[in-house]
Amino acid sequence: MYNLKIIIIGAGIGGLTTGIALKKAGYQVEIYDKVKELRPAGAGISLWSNGVKVLNKLGLGDKMAAIGGQMNQMQYRSYKDELLNDISLQPLIKEVGQRPYPVARTDLQQMLLEAFPGTVKLGSKCVGFEDFGDRVTAIFEDGNTATGDLLIAADGVRSTLRPYILGTEIEPRYAGYVNWNGLVKASEDLAPKNTWMIYVGEHKRASMMPVGGDRFYFFFDVPLPKGTSTPPEAIQKELANFFSGWPQVVQNLIKQINPLETNRLEIHDIGPIDTFVRGRVALLGDAAHTTTPDLGQGGCQAMEDAEVLTHYLLTTNISVEDALKRYEKERKERANAIVLKARKRADQIHGKEPEITQQWYQQLRQESPLDVTNAISKTILGGPLH
Ligand code: FAD
């Protein structure tokens, strides 16, 4: 279809990638976000090869390589510092045809913002929309409106527009664990600079991966009941308690973090939901399929959404509604399967059934590195760009 004007709500990874893809396809695009200043939630993200391939197609491959970390190995160690598995990522890179890139979120957001050849209107909170059949109007809290041929709701886990599309409210589901994350200066005293290091035990994780700018993105996971909180100045003490007796490297990491710049969040997911589209309005990214971070696929799925949506708008010519229905069919199957797979993995890692977590620790000791990379390749190759 030609000459479409598209309104996107949300300037996160999903909204920005979609905006870039649609502009590249020749459409008019306007992006709106409720915040006055864009600041990504979270410090880092690992973009697996399926996400990177979408960026390659948008001409951002070199820029991504410049801000991404060189992650060549993945190493699992126990909380008693026993080496469980040391996995080369080369077979994976060869199999899927693209290396993954861990990246600082601010760098990724900056790159996407610079690549979007249009304006992102900030301070614009969308509160609803009206679908007139031949066009759709987004309504903002300040009384402004924006009208286009279609509306993309890329407004995240607590999407304002989702209830209008589903006809019902859904509460994000607590995944049963808290995640702390941030950035520290990379140092060989903490981990080899080309390695994703993961310490596991007691249903918890402590991890570091290299991102651009000679930094490690770190995270800690601990299963906790819903509703706990800790002021930033007490975060190091909290982590020291949860990880007491863990290897010296983990103690050093806790000492080196900046608690005021460490995020502490309860992990949620959404779905699977059956409806991504209503008329001329489509959910995209976390608004449609919030995914626990245990496969590192949530942001990559938002990028796949961008690719598939653009593909159907460009290549089908019956109607906007028809193109969106095709997008829904393809993305529902793929993204919902990832939501469920990530949920199962989150349970396995965080001791929902302790004997299953014990089996996983055992499996990590015995598994061939190729089995690990083959499993990751399978997830990556299930995406739209092979
Ligand atoms: P968001 O990034 O949430 O963006 C939504 C935007 O919409 C926001 O800017 C918000 O301000 C705006 N908005 C909301 N409501 C309105 C409104 N009413 N009007 C206007 N604007 C509005 N994914 C990976 O691929 N790899 C990883 O390694 C990875 N690690 C993760 C680690 C953690 C701890 C977490 C929590 C997630 C992780 N993810 C990862 C998932 C990834 O972060 C998300 O899937 C991704 O950021 C979703 O992007 P989005 O654009 O859909 O939503």
Side-chain angles (χ1 to χ4, degrees):
M1 267 166 290
Y2 302 107
N3 298 328
L4 295 177
K5 181 175 168 195
I6 298 159
I7 309 295
I8 299 178
I9 306 301
I13 293 173
L16 286 173
T17 309
T18 307
I20 298 164
L22 292 171
K23 271 283 206 182
K24 214 173 163 58
Y27 298 124
Q28 265 188 75
V29 184
E30 289 174 3
I31 303 183
Y32 294 84
D33 202 292
K34 67 178 178 185
V35 296
K36 292 208 167 65
E37 191 192 340
L38 281 175
R39 266 185 301 143
I45 183 167
S46 89
L47 272 191
W48 288 95
S49 315
N50 51 322
V52 179
K53 281 183 183 179
V54 174
L55 298 179
N56 289 345
K57 198 171 162 191
L58 298 176
L60 294 171
D62 287 348
K63 290 200 168 125
M64 188 62 230
I67 59 172
Q70 291 292 303
M71 182 171 78
N72 296 332
Q73 294 286 128
M74 202 176 149
Q75 191 175 117
Y76 280 100
R77 302 188 78 87
S78 81
Y79 74 124
K80 297 191 187 302
D81 217 5
E82 175 197 356
L83 176 65
L84 300 177
N85 216 325
D86 194 13
I87 300 154
S88 165
L89 290 176
Q90 288 313 317
L92 166 98
I93 295 168
K94 217 167 151 208
E95 171 81 10
V96 304
Q98 171 60 55
R99 67 162 47 247
Y101 285 119
V103 63
R105 282 188 190 249
T106 43
D107 291 351
L108 177 64
Q109 183 158 54
Q110 193 55 34
M111 180 190 82
L112 294 174
L113 262 176
E114 282 169 11
F116 176 66
T119 13
V120 179
K121 292 181 186 153
L122 299 178
S124 301
K125 182 176 181 189
C126 183
V127 290
F129 64 84
E130 223 173 321
D131 189 339
F132 296 101
D134 60 345
R135 66 197 190 286
V136 57
T137 296
I139 303 159
F140 297 96
E141 196 175 49
D142 58 10
N144 282 334
T145 58
T147 297
D149 296 289
L150 68 143
L151 176 65
I152 314 284
D155 55 348
V157 54
R158 304 209 175 259
S159 166
T160 307
L161 299 186
R162 188 171 53 226
Y164 295 98
I165 292 163
L166 302 186
T168 179
E169 295 262 0
I170 43 170
E171 241 331 273
R173 186 198 69 100
Y174 178 46
Y177 71 98
V178 169
N179 169 283
W180 295 254
N181 65 71
L183 297 168
V184 285
K185 190 171 162 9
S187 125
E188 294 279 343
D189 295 342
L190 291 173
K193 289 187 183 180
N194 66 353
T195 299
W196 177 12
M197 187 64 89
I198 312 153
Y199 290 86
V200 295
E202 302 175 318
H203 310 160
K204 305 170 196 169
R205 286 191 298 182
S207 180
M208 283 166 277
M209 54 171 70
V211 297
D214 204 29
R215 293 165 295 175
F216 287 142
Y217 162 52
F218 70 82
F219 68 82
F220 298 90
D221 286 350
V222 177
L224 283 176
K226 195 169 169 55
T228 62
S229 68
T230 303
E233 54 282 7
I235 278 182
Q236 276 164 305
K237 195 162 168 234
E238 180 184 36
L239 287 171
N241 281 337
F242 284 134
F243 291 89
S244 138
W246 283 50
Q248 191 56 46
V249 161
V250 175
Q251 310 307 326
N252 293 347
L253 173 63
I254 294 170
K255 281 191 198 116
Q256 285 178 34
I257 69 174
N258 177 348
L260 302 181
E261 289 177 9
T262 298
N263 306 291
R264 182 195 194 276
L265 62 156
E266 295 186 325
I267 297 298
H268 291 83
D269 65 10
I270 294 255
I273 61 176
D274 206 39
T275 308
F276 286 12
V277 166
R278 183 164 157 195
R280 289 176 170 258
V281 187
L283 293 171
L284 185 141
D286 274 16
H289 44 71
T290 307
T291 307
T292 63
D294 301 83
L295 297 177
Q297 274 292 337
C300 297
Q301 290 309 301
M303 290 178 171
E304 288 187 4
D305 287 349
E307 156 65 24
V308 173
L309 180 77
T310 308
H311 166 80
Y312 283 121
L313 287 172
L314 267 178
T315 55
T316 59
N317 212 7
I318 299 171
S319 64
V320 166
E321 289 90 336
D322 176 75
L324 293 187
K325 275 289 166 200
R326 287 169 201 271
Y327 157 80
E328 174 180 67
K329 184 164 183 288
E330 182 168 333
R331 294 309 300 154
K332 216 167 68 173
E333 196 178 319
R334 162 80 168 157
N336 282 345
I338 297 275
V339 168
L340 291 178
K341 198 168 172 184
R343 186 177 296 168
K344 196 168 168 201
R345 179 100 176 140
D347 292 346
Q348 181 188 44
I349 292 172
H350 300 104
K352 187 166 185 217
E353 291 178 52
E355 60 286 9
I356 289 183
T357 306
Q358 287 309 320
Q359 281 164 18
W360 179 57
Y361 295 154
Q362 198 52 35
Q363 182 189 331
L364 286 175
R365 270 192 193 91
Q366 292 161 351
E367 210 167 15
S368 105
L370 264 184
D371 286 347
V372 177
T373 49
N374 283 342
I376 303 174
S377 301
K378 202 169 152 211
T379 301
I380 289 170
L381 292 173
L385 299 174
H386 303 295

PDB file of all heavy atoms in Angstrom, residues 30 120 175 207 226 246 280 308:
ATOM      1  N   GLU A  30       4.448   9.482  12.501  1.00  0.00           N
ATOM      2  CA  GLU A  30       4.585  10.370  13.670  1.00  0.00           C
ATOM      3  C   GLU A  30       4.656   9.490  14.911  1.00  0.00           C
ATOM      4  O   GLU A  30       3.837   8.585  15.075  1.00  0.00           O
ATOM      5  CB  GLU A  30       3.367  11.302  13.777  1.00  0.00           C
ATOM      6  CG  GLU A  30       3.339  12.355  12.686  1.00  0.00           C
ATOM      7  CD  GLU A  30       2.049  13.188  12.692  1.00  0.00           C
ATOM      8  OE1 GLU A  30       1.189  12.993  13.584  1.00  0.00           O
ATOM      9  OE2 GLU A  30       1.910  14.012  11.778  1.00  0.00           O
ATOM     10  N   VAL A 120       9.937  12.915  17.233  1.00  0.00           N
ATOM     11  CA  VAL A 120       9.235  12.180  18.270  1.00  0.00           C
ATOM     12  C   VAL A 120       8.630  13.246  19.171  1.00  0.00           C
ATOM     13  O   VAL A 120       9.371  14.067  19.725  1.00  0.00           O
ATOM     14  CB  VAL A 120      10.215  11.283  19.050  1.00  0.00           C
ATOM     15  CG1 VAL A 120       9.496  10.547  20.150  1.00  0.00           C
ATOM     16  CG2 VAL A 120      10.914  10.294  18.111  1.00  0.00           C
ATOM     17  N   ALA A 175       6.423 -12.608  37.777  1.00  0.00           N
ATOM     18  CA  ALA A 175       7.156 -13.839  37.464  1.00  0.00           C
ATOM     19  C   ALA A 175       7.830 -14.446  38.688  1.00  0.00           C
ATOM     20  O   ALA A 175       8.487 -15.485  38.580  1.00  0.00           O
ATOM     21  CB  ALA A 175       8.188 -13.558  36.381  1.00  0.00           C
ATOM     22  N   SER A 207      25.336 -12.029  37.178  1.00  0.00           N
ATOM     23  CA  SER A 207      25.802 -12.142  35.800  1.00  0.00           C
ATOM     24  C   SER A 207      26.427 -10.836  35.300  1.00  0.00           C
ATOM     25  O   SER A 207      26.045  -9.749  35.740  1.00  0.00           O
ATOM     26  CB  SER A 207      24.595 -12.519  34.936  1.00  0.00           C
ATOM     27  OG  SER A 207      24.968 -12.646  33.598  1.00  0.00           O
ATOM     28  N   LYS A 226       5.976 -10.850  46.003  1.00  0.00           N
ATOM     29  CA  LYS A 226       5.629  -9.581  45.361  1.00  0.00           C
ATOM     30  C   LYS A 226       5.579  -8.447  46.390  1.00  0.00           C
ATOM     31  O   LYS A 226       5.170  -8.667  47.525  1.00  0.00           O
ATOM     32  CB  LYS A 226       4.249  -9.733  44.701  1.00  0.00           C
ATOM     33  CG  LYS A 226       3.922  -8.647  43.725  1.00  0.00           C
ATOM     34  CD  LYS A 226       2.664  -9.016  42.930  1.00  0.00           C
ATOM     35  CE  LYS A 226       2.144  -7.847  42.137  1.00  0.00           C
ATOM     36  NZ  LYS A 226       3.129  -7.241  41.240  1.00  0.00           N
ATOM     37  N   TRP A 246      28.862 -16.271  48.215  1.00  0.00           N
ATOM     38  CA  TRP A 246      29.120 -16.479  46.770  1.00  0.00           C
ATOM     39  C   TRP A 246      30.569 -16.066  46.470  1.00  0.00           C
ATOM     40  O   TRP A 246      31.220 -15.414  47.299  1.00  0.00           O
ATOM     41  CB  TRP A 246      28.114 -15.672  45.935  1.00  0.00           C
ATOM     42  CG  TRP A 246      26.740 -16.312  45.877  1.00  0.00           C
ATOM     43  CD1 TRP A 246      26.001 -16.757  46.945  1.00  0.00           C
ATOM     44  CD2 TRP A 246      25.960 -16.607  44.710  1.00  0.00           C
ATOM     45  NE1 TRP A 246      24.812 -17.294  46.504  1.00  0.00           N
ATOM     46  CE2 TRP A 246      24.756 -17.215  45.135  1.00  0.00           C
ATOM     47  CE3 TRP A 246      26.148 -16.411  43.340  1.00  0.00           C
ATOM     48  CZ2 TRP A 246      23.758 -17.638  44.243  1.00  0.00           C
ATOM     49  CZ3 TRP A 246      25.162 -16.815  42.442  1.00  0.00           C
ATOM     50  CH2 TRP A 246      23.988 -17.434  42.898  1.00  0.00           C
ATOM     51  N   ARG A 280      -8.120  -0.704  12.599  1.00  0.00           N
ATOM     52  CA  ARG A 280      -6.908  -0.032  12.107  1.00  0.00           C
ATOM     53  C   ARG A 280      -5.879   0.204  13.210  1.00  0.00           C
ATOM     54  O   ARG A 280      -4.989   1.046  13.066  1.00  0.00           O
ATOM     55  CB  ARG A 280      -7.299   1.314  11.498  1.00  0.00           C
ATOM     56  CG  ARG A 280      -8.029   1.142  10.196  1.00  0.00           C
ATOM     57  CD  ARG A 280      -8.517   2.436   9.626  1.00  0.00           C
ATOM     58  NE  ARG A 280      -8.985   2.178   8.274  1.00  0.00           N
ATOM     59  CZ  ARG A 280      -8.310   2.457   7.164  1.00  0.00           C
ATOM     60  NH1 ARG A 280      -7.159   3.082   7.224  1.00  0.00           N
ATOM     61  NH2 ARG A 280      -8.797   2.148   5.989  1.00  0.00           N
ATOM     62  N   VAL A 308       7.800  -7.427  10.426  1.00  0.00           N
ATOM     63  CA  VAL A 308       6.650  -8.140   9.850  1.00  0.00           C
ATOM     64  C   VAL A 308       5.522  -7.161   9.498  1.00  0.00           C
ATOM     65  O   VAL A 308       4.906  -7.254   8.432  1.00  0.00           O
ATOM     66  CB  VAL A 308       6.170  -9.244  10.831  1.00  0.00           C
ATOM     67  CG1 VAL A 308       4.877  -9.889  10.343  1.00  0.00           C
ATOM     68  CG2 VAL A 308       7.268 -10.290  10.984  1.00  0.00           C
TER      69      VAL A 308
END
